[in-house]
Amino acid sequence: MTKDVIALTPTMPDIRTLLAGLYAGGPDLGVGTLADGAVVQLCAPDGRPLVSVEAPILVQVPGETARLLEHAVEEGPVWWTEARASTAVAEAGRLAGSFAGRLATVLGGTVWPPEAATTEVVPLTTGVSAVPVPAPATPAIDVLTNRAAVVIQDRPLVAMTSWLSDALRTATAADRALQIVTPPTARLTLPTRTALHGLPNRWVVQDPRQGYYDGLSGAVLHWKNGTFTPVHDEGGAASVAPAFARSGDTGERQLILALRTRHDADEDLVLGRALETVFRHLTDAPPAGWSTAEPVNLPWSTRELTDLARARAPRPTWLIAVGHPGRPALATVRVLRTPAGVEEDITVAFGYGPDEEPPLGAIEGLARALAVEHGLVTMLTSLRAARRDLTVPPHLEAPPVPVAFTLGEGEGESGAVGRGRAGHPPSHPAPARLGRALHYDLGDGSRPEAWDRFRDLVRHLRPEGGVTKPTASGPPAGP
């Protein structure tokens, strides 16, 4: 039964409408709040939460509901009100559906998933006295142990919602793993995949025939000592689930850019311009929107995201940006203050179908613009065989293949290596000179041997641990 239910309405639910929805279980159930009123909970008579409802979000970015839910709504902004049901009580899912159905009925909207919508009263018949009380401040967490915070998700696409972001922060602060459990039909968005980077965080796939396995590595898992861990044989080796086997090549591709920029920390600094330059060069348009979680709800604004990062400094700020419908494009940005200035750690992915050609010829011009105008430190461009919609399935995918590497023009980059050394790599063509930056061609993304060329190049550029390639990063662990 579906546990997450979303009401999509053209107008913002007011207090009366929210209360009407929350009383889907009858007058005997109570209502409480969390997070300074940002989360409203429908509670059993003994106070145990049954349904948690987050404050409505105005989604102003075209195509976001279709991207995340495959559920189109009428053109224009839509209010997204998400209800998460407790997995410990059988009636909780139906209560969430009745809550969302009542909002949609009163306000003229729709419900996702459509089959969950109802307006009937759902009596609570399950005894809850033996049900463990979940952590009161983390309604997204279904199972909490000393080692792991487990979140159960049965939606087709698991996005990095504010629920999951909160669960990740809570788990990280307590030195616990975040482990997301899904059926084998689920996929992850790239921001969720990025957030799960690094063990002990895991995507746990529950296959009805093969048991549990890791959706990112394929390792067969079991529940042991309060966490999902790999099953090892007598020799200590882990096995890979047969369900994780790679599917055939569909001809779909993803163009991935991992770049880092650095700026002086002054009052005139405007962040996000490097990312906007990437989008304009490769899609002929700026990003459609940005946010700190999914759904991405705010229209693109470099000034507004700069204001947010400045207000959070010196803490890091993690952001998501999406492109316009028609060209799948998704980016994560981590802004952090360092002794050298303000850095943006950016990963951008663009999706292409079998009949679409990734614009590899535009990469050198983009690298020049980033180096000359936006403080580029490094940029690695790669191409991979993967889904055009940029989602991550629970089976083996081919790794990305390097296409080009750009070394920025600052004294800390090519200057630190030595321009003579950086300009004459062994067994490599001479790099293109983009002002003071250097751009190295590594291939067309079709030959895995490009990784060997890239590793040789990096060893040449960092003989004493100088230059490093940019890496993707997840949401900051802090609040």
Side-chain angles (χ1 to χ4, degrees):
M1 179 181 295
T2 296
K3 299 299 181 184
D4 296 344
V5 185
I6 301 166
L8 301 165
T9 59
T11 57
M12 180 179 180
D14 57 18
I15 295 298
R16 286 187 178 183
T17 307
L18 287 172
L19 288 175
L22 287 167
Y23 282 115
D28 293 334
L29 301 185
V31 176
T33 61
L34 291 176
D36 297 325
V39 177
V40 179
Q41 290 188 317
L42 178 63
C43 303
D46 66 354
R48 296 167 190 263
L50 302 173
V51 177
S52 299
V53 180
E54 196 165 69
I57 301 170
L58 179 60
V59 179
Q60 305 174 68
V61 178
E64 260 308 84
T65 57
R67 180 178 75 88
L68 297 179
L69 305 177
E70 298 180 351
H71 181 83
V73 298
E74 291 185 11
E75 198 68 28
V78 63
W79 287 93
W80 175 301
T81 307
E82 186 160 347
R84 178 168 173 79
S86 168
T87 56
V89 180
E91 292 83 8
R94 292 170 56 207
L95 284 169
S98 184
F99 163 80
R102 290 174 176 221
L103 260 62
T105 299
V106 172
L107 301 175
T110 62
V111 172
W112 179 91
E115 64 272 15
T118 179
T119 57
E120 62 188 27
V121 174
V122 181
L124 184 64
T125 60
T126 302
V128 296
S129 59
V131 176
V133 180
T138 52
I141 295 175
D142 295 289
V143 178
L144 189 66
T145 73
N146 290 333
R147 299 180 61 189
V150 180
V151 177
I152 300 172
Q153 292 273 273
D154 58 4
R155 56 208 293 172
L157 186 61
V158 181
M160 182 44 59
T161 62
S162 56
W163 298 100
L164 273 185
S165 184
D166 177 65
L168 176 63
R169 285 191 295 267
T170 300
T172 303
D175 198 26
R176 292 185 174 98
L178 177 67
Q179 299 185 332
I180 301 174
V181 181
T182 76
T185 53
R187 291 167 284 123
L188 306 183
T189 65
L190 282 180
T192 305
R193 167 66 183 90
T194 301
L196 291 178
H197 75 287
L199 297 174
N201 297 333
R202 289 189 186 277
W203 176 16
V204 181
V205 178
Q206 185 178 14
D207 190 287
R209 295 170 299 177
Q210 301 177 16
Y212 297 99
Y213 69 94
D214 190 306
L216 300 177
S217 71
V220 176
L221 304 173
H222 63 166
W223 181 258
K224 184 177 181 180
N225 298 328
T227 188
F228 285 99
T229 60
V231 177
H232 295 98
D233 60 23
E234 294 181 356
S239 58
V240 176
F244 190 68
R246 181 184 299 178
S247 61
D249 188 354
T250 64
E252 296 174 290
R253 297 289 185 270
Q254 293 177 8
L255 179 64
I256 303 169
L257 289 80
L259 60 140
R260 178 168 295 163
T261 65
R262 183 180 299 139
H263 319 274
D264 293 333
D266 59 53
E267 61 182 14
D268 296 325
L269 174 62
V270 178
L271 298 169
R273 288 177 172 171
L275 180 61
E276 181 171 318
T277 297
V278 172
F279 271 75
R280 288 188 182 277
H281 268 74
L282 300 182
T283 70
D284 296 324
W290 73 285
S291 186
T292 57
E294 294 176 293
V296 174
N297 64 312
L298 300 172
W300 177 250
S301 170
T302 55
R303 175 54 63 186
E304 289 181 3
L305 70 86
T306 299
D307 290 343
L308 174 65
R310 183 171 284 123
R312 291 179 56 88
R315 295 175 297 166
T317 296
W318 188 77
L319 308 169
I320 304 169
V322 296
H324 294 270
R327 169 59 59 215
L330 193 58
T332 59
V333 182
R334 191 170 190 237
V335 180
L336 61 160
R337 187 74 162 85
T338 71
V342 178
E343 296 191 359
E344 297 172 288
D345 190 1
I346 302 169
T347 301
V348 196
F350 301 92
Y352 301 89
D355 300 325
E356 298 174 312
E357 197 67 32
L360 300 184
I363 298 301
E364 183 174 325
L366 169 61
R368 181 186 299 275
L370 292 171
V372 173
E373 302 172 19
H374 300 292
L376 181 67
V377 177
T378 55
M379 182 171 74
L380 175 63
T381 302
S382 57
L383 193 65
R384 71 181 304 182
R387 294 176 62 108
R388 181 183 187 273
D389 64 9
L390 306 179
T391 64
V392 182
H395 59 70
L396 182 64
E397 290 189 306
V401 177
V403 170
F405 180 69
T406 308
L407 184 62
E409 64 177 1
E411 290 300 316
E413 279 56 70
S414 58
V417 178
R419 294 192 60 79
R421 179 182 180 87
H424 296 86
S427 305
H428 278 266
R433 297 184 179 272
L434 313 178
R436 290 180 55 81
L438 299 173
H439 182 74
Y440 302 85
D441 182 19
L442 299 172
D444 63 1
S446 64
R447 300 178 65 84
E449 302 84 64
W451 274 115
D452 295 329
R453 299 182 65 191
F454 178 61
R455 279 189 283 265
D456 290 344
L457 176 62
V458 170
R459 279 194 291 267
H460 176 74
L461 295 176
R462 48 182 291 186
E464 298 179 359
V467 177
T468 59
K469 67 175 181 178
T471 57
S473 58

